[in-house]
């Protein structure tokens, strides 16, 4: 199964046992639970930094 690498944003690999995520592009490797926490942090950062591009909002 594929996953998004939190380091380089390319496609990482989630193993069949759903225990580890590895990126063949940058060498990122983490346990799946740690990976989920990293991605939650990235989403939180994105939502905190979001700005509307329309005036008045």
């Amino acid at each position: 199964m594929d996953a998004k690498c939190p380091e380089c944003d390319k496609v990482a690999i989630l193993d069949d046992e759903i225990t580890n995520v590895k990126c063949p592009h940058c060498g990122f490797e983490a346990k799946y639970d740690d990976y989920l926490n990293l991605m939650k942090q990235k989403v939180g950062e994105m939502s905190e930094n979001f700005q509307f591009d329309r005036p008045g909002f």
Side-chain angles (χ1 to χ4, degrees):
M1 184 183 291
D2 292 339
K4 184 174 182 176
C5 178
E7 297 291 323
C8 70
D9 291 332
K10 293 184 179 178
V11 177
I13 308 299
L14 175 62
D15 65 9
D16 292 336
E17 294 82 25
I18 309 176
T19 56
N20 292 307
V21 176
K22 295 181 184 179
C23 179
H25 307 283
C26 71
F28 171 82
E29 187 173 343
K31 292 183 180 183
Y32 185 63
D33 290 337
D34 296 336
Y35 168 78
L36 289 178
N37 287 329
L38 285 171
M39 295 307 282
K40 286 178 190 176
Q41 288 174 357
K42 285 190 79 162
V43 169
E45 291 170 6
M46 288 172 54
S47 67
E48 289 174 2
N49 294 327
F50 180 79
Q51 296 179 6
F52 287 100
D53 59 352
R54 294 184 289 170
F57 287 92

